């Protein structure tokens, strides 16, 4: 088992429950699927126990396959350790990734606080922050598309070309708009009511003639994320029996579900 002792000198120990730990883990997102690891069922177990200077927490994570990208795996495990370590009253944190081909490497690196490049050395082509930024942009693109597609569906008189002039104030309140505002804030994009919705990564609106293509590219990004989410959720259910109920319903659709039935098979030809 790997462990890192977090010094809390002089601080009064507070009680931290398993529920507190799981709530904190809800802020850790799969960078590719843009969903909390708690909703995806990636948290395998959480154990807490009293220590001499606070709560000791041991968390095990799991992923849909043993060959999930190591940088994604490290990012989620590292973020999990960070959010738990930040809780008042936590004295020791152990986060381990189970059943991954790089589990030993990642777990040892987490215990040593070696960092992304310290763990993967020359294999770490980009910094972790560059990796995060890439996925923040993808998440923003998908969130933008969800909002504009909702608007098009609710207003049949609108055309794709009209989406270039839509402002944040034109979007209805709700989950998708809230998500878009969070994604914009993460990228440092303006979130005022007069801000244009369809913008590039630098926050610049598209020329009118480019709007339909920009929206279609955004749609391709969103569909890719939804498809990967569907695939990964299903793989996790297959890999870990009983993990399905630990996955939260996915309002965006593409939800893998145990109740899906196979198509009925009819034998059309019978050979004697």
């Amino acid at each position: 088992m790997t462990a890192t002792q977090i010094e809390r000198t002089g601080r009064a120990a507070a009680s931290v429950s398993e529920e507190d730990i799981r709530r904190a883990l809800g802020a850790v997102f799969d960078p590719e699927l843009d969903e909390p690891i708690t909703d995806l069922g990636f948290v395998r177990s959480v154990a807490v126990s009293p220590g001499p200077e606070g709560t000791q927490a041991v968390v095990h994570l799991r992923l849909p396959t043993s060959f999930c990208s190591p940088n994604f795996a490290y990012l989620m495990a590292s973020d999990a350790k960070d959010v738990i370590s930040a809780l008042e009253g936590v004295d020791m944190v152990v986060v381990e990734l189970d059943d991954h081909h790089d589990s030993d490497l990642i777990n040892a690196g987490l215990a040593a606080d070696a960092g992304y490049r310290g763990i993967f050395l020359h294999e770490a082509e980009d910094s972790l922050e560059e990796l995060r930024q890439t996925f923040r942009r993808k998440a923003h693109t998908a969130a933008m598309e969800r909002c504009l597609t909702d608007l098009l569906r609710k207003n049949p008189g609108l055309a794709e070309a009209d989406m270039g002039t839509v402002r944040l104030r034109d979007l209805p309140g709700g989950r998708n708009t809230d998500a878009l505002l969070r994604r914009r804030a993460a990228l440092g994009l303006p979130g005022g009511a007069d801000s244009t919705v369809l913008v590039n990564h630098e926050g610049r609106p598209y020329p009118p003639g480019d709007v339909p293509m920009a929206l279609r590219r955004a749609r391709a990004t969103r569909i890719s994320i939804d498809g990967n989410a569907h695939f990964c959720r299903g793989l996790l259910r297959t890999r870990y029996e009983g993990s399905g109920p630990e996955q939260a319903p996915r309002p965006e659709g593409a939800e893998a579900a145990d109740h899906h039935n196979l198509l009925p098979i009819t034998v059309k030809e019978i050979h004697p």
Side-chain angles (χ1 to χ4, degrees):
M1 177 176 288
T2 59
T4 295
Q5 190 78 21
I6 301 170
E7 296 183 359
R8 306 289 190 192
T9 306
R11 195 185 69 187
S15 177
V16 179
S17 66
E18 177 182 337
E19 184 180 359
D20 294 330
I21 300 291
R22 289 187 179 276
R23 190 180 302 114
L25 289 172
V28 178
F29 277 60
D30 179 301
E32 187 176 29
L33 308 182
D34 194 34
E35 289 187 68
I37 60 173
T38 46
D39 287 2
L40 290 163
F42 290 177
V43 179
R44 189 174 199 175
S45 65
V46 174
V48 295
S49 60
E53 297 185 19
T55 299
Q56 299 182 343
V58 180
V59 172
H60 283 260
L61 303 181
R62 61 189 175 191
L63 296 175
T65 72
S66 64
F67 48 87
C68 287
S69 176
N71 51 7
F72 296 174
Y74 168 77
L75 194 150
M76 288 184 275
S78 176
D79 286 353
K81 183 177 177 181
D82 287 346
V83 297
I84 299 170
S85 299
L87 291 175
E88 183 74 18
V90 170
D91 179 56
M92 187 198 76
V93 179
V94 176
V95 173
E96 291 199 330
L97 179 64
D98 295 345
D99 308 327
H100 189 275
H101 69 80
D102 268 341
S103 281
D104 291 344
L105 179 66
I106 291 172
N107 293 339
L110 285 171
D113 284 330
Y116 178 58
R117 284 183 163 159
I119 294 176
F120 295 105
L121 303 176
H122 64 281
E123 296 180 10
E125 296 178 354
D126 299 320
S127 72
L128 200 59
E129 188 52 37
E130 288 171 328
L131 185 66
R132 288 183 196 278
Q133 192 71 354
T134 296
F135 285 104
R136 284 178 188 141
R137 289 171 174 170
K138 289 183 67 174
H140 166 251
T141 299
M144 194 167 57
E145 191 274 343
R146 287 191 185 101
C147 288
L148 293 176
T149 296
D150 280 351
L151 202 62
L152 284 168
R153 287 173 176 163
K154 292 174 181 174
N155 298 276
L158 291 175
E160 287 189 341
D162 299 326
M163 296 299 98
T165 59
V166 173
R167 310 287 176 166
L168 288 176
R169 65 169 177 268
D170 299 323
L171 300 178
R175 186 173 183 275
N176 285 345
T177 300
D178 291 344
L180 175 62
L181 293 175
R182 285 198 301 273
R183 306 298 181 241
R184 291 178 73 110
L187 288 173
L189 301 179
D194 291 333
S195 301
T196 303
V197 173
L198 187 64
V199 294
N200 64 16
H201 300 322
E202 287 75 39
R204 290 196 291 271
Y206 291 91
D210 294 345
V211 167
M213 182 57 69
L215 187 59
R216 289 171 199 172
R217 287 175 176 163
R219 186 162 297 142
T221 299
R222 191 267 300 164
I223 290 172
S224 172
I225 291 175
D226 284 349
N228 284 336
H230 170 83
F231 191 57
C232 289
R233 282 168 172 258
L235 283 173
L236 190 82
R237 291 174 186 226
T238 301
R239 190 180 191 198
Y240 295 101
E241 185 176 4
S243 61
E246 298 175 30
Q247 295 178 333
R250 191 167 190 273
E252 288 82 5
E255 165 70 7
D258 290 332
H259 66 268
H260 284 179
N261 298 315
L262 294 174
L263 292 172
I265 297 175
T266 301
V267 177
K268 295 183 177 178
E269 299 181 38
I270 300 176
H271 300 281

